Amino acid sequence: MLPHRSFPIEASVTPRSGAAGRLKQSVSYWPYSRIPLDQFARAAREMGLVAIDLLQPEQWPVVKEAGLVCSMGYPTARRDLIASGFNDPAMHDLLVKELTDTLPLAAAAGVPNLIAMFGNRKGRSDEEGLKNCIAGLRRVAPAAEQHGVTICVELLNSKVDHKDYMGDHTGFGVQVLEGVGSPRVKLLYDIYHMQIMEGDVIRTIRDNIAHLGHFHTGGVPGRHELDDTQELNWRTVCRAIADLGFAGYVAHEFVPTRDPLTSLREAVQLCDV
C-alpha cells in the first residue's frame, strides 16, 4: 500500500477455462501502474483474475469495461490515508464524510469494499486507540449496512514498512470489530504484513475468518513474487482460505522483480486451488 457494464455488489466473473475457481483472485493496481489501466485490466482478465484492487472512483468504469470488478475502492486520494485513521478522534468527521460520500458510489458501481485505516499511534495507548476506533467506525457502519458495501480496515506491519501503525496485530483488529458489531465492517488481512508481525498465518486465519473481509498477498521478505525466494507456502495458505468457504477476494499485492505480467500470471496459477 502505501477508472459499461453494470455488475452487482457480489458479482463474480467467470475464471479462465480450467481454473479451479475456489478463490476469487484479484490484484492491486499500484505495482503495475506503469501499464495503462485499460491494458492491464484486459491482461488480468485473460490470465484468470476477476477483479482489480485499490482504485479511485474515476477508475472504476475502466475495469468494468474490461469485464472485471473493482474489489477494493479508495474513498479518498488523501496522502496521509494510512497515518491518519480512526484511532484519532480529530479525524472522525473527515473519515466518516469520505466514506459516507463514497459508499453510494461504490454500491452503484458494484464495488463491494472500501478501504479504511486504523492510523499511527502518535503516542496513544492500545486502550485509547481501541476506544477511538470503535467510536469512529460505529458512526459509519449504518451507512455501510444501508448500501451493502463493506468497510475493510487494513492490518499493516509496524516493524518494516509502516512504523508506528497501531493496527499491527490481528488481535487488535478483532477487538475493534467486536466493539463495532457490524457485518459491514471487517478486516483487510494482508498476509505479507501479518507474516512479518505474527507468523502462524493459517491458524490465525482459521481462528478469525468471521472477521476477515479481504486478503492481500506479498512475499516475505521484500513484498516480491510468491515464489521460492520467500518463506510462505502460498498454495497451502490459499487452500486453507478456500477450505473455509471464504467468498470474498484474495488480491495479489506484490512488487514484481521480473517481467510483471509473467510474475502475476505465475501467482494466479499458484493460488488457483
Side-chain angles (χ1 to χ4, degrees), residues 23 45 56 101 107 112 116 142 158 179 219 246:
L23 292 179
R45 177 164 178 144
Q56 297 290 343
D101 285 351
S158 60
F246 180 70

Side-chain angles (χ1 to χ4, degrees), residues 191-192 195 201 218 220 227 230-235 237:
I191 299 169
Y192 162 79
Q195 171 67 3
V201 164
V220 178
D227 57 18
Q230 53 82 63
E231 63 194 36
L232 278 177
N233 183 332
W234 282 95
R235 193 162 184 83
V237 171

